[in-house]
């Protein structure tokens, strides 16, 4: 299934033209106007034998908070799938391999709607939320999965199902799946619902999707507001006090008491850190790594020509 084509061409999605699209600006709280899909429904089939238990949990039995797979934050160009040298293969290129480190969004199972052993979800909801950066550019921010309409794959008791498992499922509010006259599951289908929408400005702010200048300005303003509140509270108490000799303001003394030990600690910690960096730089400054292929993450073997290649 091509996720991009599904979100761009499905008739149940509301597509906004390029000219009418309103992106979310970093210094503007204006609501975005962009593409949205509110409930694409697809009928899918479990490929696994859901009636048989396994030692390891399968994807539909995953615990809440588990990461099931990843989606790239940015759109991937078709050229990135094409090999650029003899070591690469179609779909296994250096460009795609480098995206594993920083350009992936984990698809996380919601903490309150996870899977269960001996049970399957009949409805799976995938929510994708993105940042409309410009009229023609989106960036994925968050992806979550929800398992709903869960039923146990155990047969009912009068068809030979395990009473212990059925009681355990009953305690969790999970009932047996619909069965035929022989006690077998009528269907191994499930509905996949996909929701796709743009995030508002405050949601993007909480997800740290803006540049550093936005957060510097935001926290600076919050700091000034807190200082003004403190000054107001001190001023009111100073003006309305009934003490004949009120104590003087001790702000500078407090600053020295709080900041000086921290500055000393940071300075002491920097000395061995800088010394270690200088030693490493001195050792490796004359060594060239131009003959090493791929990256340092993948495993490698040493060939006769003293070059590294991923195994």
């Amino acid at each position: 299934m091509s996720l991009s084509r599904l979100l761009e061409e499905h008739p149940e999605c509301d597509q906004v033209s390029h000219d009418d699209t309103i992106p979310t600006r970093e210094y503007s709280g204006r609501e975005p106007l962009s593409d949205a899909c509110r409930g694409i429904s697809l009928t899918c089939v479990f490929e696994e034998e859901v009636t048989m238990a396994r030692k390891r949990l399968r994807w539909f039995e995953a615990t809440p908070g588990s990461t099931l797979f990843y989606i790239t934050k940015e759109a991937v160009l078709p050229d990135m799938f094409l090999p650029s040298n003899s070591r690469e293969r179609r779909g296994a290129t250096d460009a795609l391999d480098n995206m594993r480190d920083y350009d992936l969004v984990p698809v996380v199972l919601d903490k309150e709607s996870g899977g269960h052993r001996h049970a399957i979800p009949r409805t799976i909801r995938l929510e994708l939320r993105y940042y409309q950066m410009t009229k023609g550019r989106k960036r994925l921010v968050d992806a979550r999965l929800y398992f709903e309409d869960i039923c146990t794959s155990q047969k009912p008791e009068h068809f030979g199902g395990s009473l212990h498992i059925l009681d355990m499922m009953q305690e969790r509010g999970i009932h047996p799946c619909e069965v035929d006259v022989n006690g077998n599951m009528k269907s191994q289908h499930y509905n996949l619902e996909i929701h796709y929408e743009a995030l508002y400005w405050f949601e993007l702010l909480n997800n740290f999707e803006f540049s550093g200048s936005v957060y510097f300005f935001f926290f600076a303003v919050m700091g000034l507001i807190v200082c003004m509140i403190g000054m107001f509270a001190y001023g009111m108490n100073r003006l309305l006090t009934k003490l004949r000799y009120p104590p003087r303001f001790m702000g500078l003394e407090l600053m020295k008491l709080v900041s000086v030990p921290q500055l000393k600690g940071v300075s002491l910690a920097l000395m061995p850190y800088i010394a270690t960096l200088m030693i490493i730089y001195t050792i490796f400054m004359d060594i060239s790594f131009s003959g090493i292929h791929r990256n340092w993450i993948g495993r490698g073997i040493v060939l006769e020509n003293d070059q590294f290649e991923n195994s």
Side-chain angles (χ1 to χ4, degrees), residues 151-163:
C151 63
T152 177
S153 55
Q154 279 287 314
K155 295 181 179 181
E157 182 181 357
H158 56 275
F159 282 113
S162 171
L163 181 59

Side-chain angles (χ1 to χ4, degrees), residues 13-40:
C13 292
D14 299 327
Q15 302 295 336
V16 180
S17 65
H18 181 274
D19 295 335
D20 295 335
T21 299
I22 300 177
T24 303
R25 305 296 184 186
E26 289 189 343
Y27 291 96
S28 173
R30 187 176 181 183
E31 294 184 1
L33 178 61
S34 186
D35 302 338
C37 302
R38 296 177 177 86
I40 298 176

Side-chain angles (χ1 to χ4, degrees), residues 24 45 50 53 69 79 89 129 144-145 169 175 190 197 201 209 217 221 261 266 282 306:
T24 303
V45 180
V50 296
F69 58 96
D79 295 342
R89 302 188 307 276
R129 303 188 298 172
R144 290 191 176 275
L145 271 175
M169 293 289 108
H175 303 284
Y190 65 92
E197 61 182 358
W201 186 90
E209 289 295 322
F217 176 78
V221 171
V266 171
T282 303
D306 294 330

Side-chain angles (χ1 to χ4, degrees), residues 37 45 61 69 86 93 110 192 198 258 284 289 294-295 297 309:
C37 302
V45 180
E61 299 170 333
F69 58 96
S86 59
T93 62
D110 186 69
L192 174 62
V258 173
F284 291 99
F289 295 95
R294 301 299 289 269
N295 55 43
I297 299 176
E309 292 186 1

Side-chain angles (χ1 to χ4, degrees), residues 63-310:
T63 56
S66 302
T67 298
L68 298 186
F69 58 96
Y70 296 85
I71 304 177
T72 57
K73 288 183 69 71
E74 304 278 358
V76 179
L77 299 175
D79 295 342
M80 298 178 68
F81 291 87
L82 302 178
S84 58
N85 53 58
S86 59
R87 295 180 293 102
E88 298 179 349
R89 302 188 307 276
R90 183 179 180 87
T93 62
D94 290 344
L96 294 177
D97 192 50
N98 292 333
M99 297 178 69
R100 298 179 181 178
D101 302 331
Y102 60 90
D103 206 23
L104 297 176
V105 175
V107 181
V108 180
L109 188 58
D110 186 69
K111 294 182 179 181
E112 297 182 358
S113 61
H116 303 268
R117 192 185 293 274
H118 306 291
I120 59 172
R122 288 300 192 182
T123 301
I124 299 177
R125 190 169 83 250
L126 173 62
E127 292 186 356
L128 304 173
R129 303 188 298 172
Y130 64 90
Y131 172 21
Q132 186 70 46
M133 304 180 68
T134 62
K135 286 183 175 292
R137 184 184 177 188
K138 296 178 175 67
R139 185 170 71 196
L140 188 64
V141 176
D142 183 56
R144 290 191 176 275
L145 271 175
Y146 300 84
F147 290 168
E148 301 172 348
D149 301 330
I150 298 177
C151 63
T152 177
S153 55
Q154 279 287 314
K155 295 181 179 181
E157 182 181 357
H158 56 275
F159 282 113
S162 171
L163 181 59
H164 172 70
I165 295 177
L166 290 172
D167 289 342
M168 181 178 61
M169 293 289 108
Q170 185 70 28
E171 292 177 358
R172 301 175 182 176
I174 300 175
H175 303 284
C177 299
E178 190 176 0
V179 297
D180 57 19
V181 293
N182 296 318
N184 300 318
M185 289 179 56
K186 280 189 174 182
S187 171
Q188 291 197 171
H189 292 78
Y190 65 92
N191 294 323
L192 174 62
E193 294 183 2
I194 301 178
H195 299 259
Y196 180 65
E197 61 182 358
L199 290 173
Y200 294 137
W201 186 90
F202 198 76
E203 294 172 315
L204 293 169
L205 181 72
N206 286 336
N207 283 279
F208 292 92
E209 289 295 322
F210 295 137
S211 60
S213 60
V214 175
Y215 296 97
F216 177 82
F217 176 78
F218 180 78
F219 287 112
V221 171
M222 292 297 103
L224 289 174
I225 292 175
V226 172
C227 290
M228 292 176 63
I229 294 174
M231 292 173 62
F232 176 78
Y234 175 81
M236 292 298 296
N237 283 276
R238 181 67 177 80
L239 292 173
L240 302 178
T241 182
K242 295 182 179 181
L243 295 176
R244 185 172 183 180
Y245 301 104
R248 65 184 181 87
F249 182 67
M250 305 290 289
L252 292 178
E253 287 77 2
L254 177 62
M255 182 179 297
K256 293 179 182 178
L257 179 65
V258 173
S259 59
V260 172
Q262 296 179 356
L263 293 175
K264 290 182 179 179
V266 171
S267 301
L268 292 174
L270 280 176
M271 289 190 289
Y273 178 74
I274 295 175
T276 304
L277 290 179
M278 294 299 296
I279 293 173
I280 295 174
Y281 177 76
T282 303
I283 295 174
F284 291 99
M285 62 183 299
D286 296 327
I287 300 177
S288 175
F289 295 95
S290 59
I292 296 179
H293 300 286
R294 301 299 289 269
N295 55 43
W296 290 98
I297 299 176
R299 295 175 296 175
I301 56 175
V302 181
L303 303 180
E304 294 181 358
N305 55 1
D306 294 330
Q307 291 182 340
F308 285 88
E309 292 186 1
N310 281 353

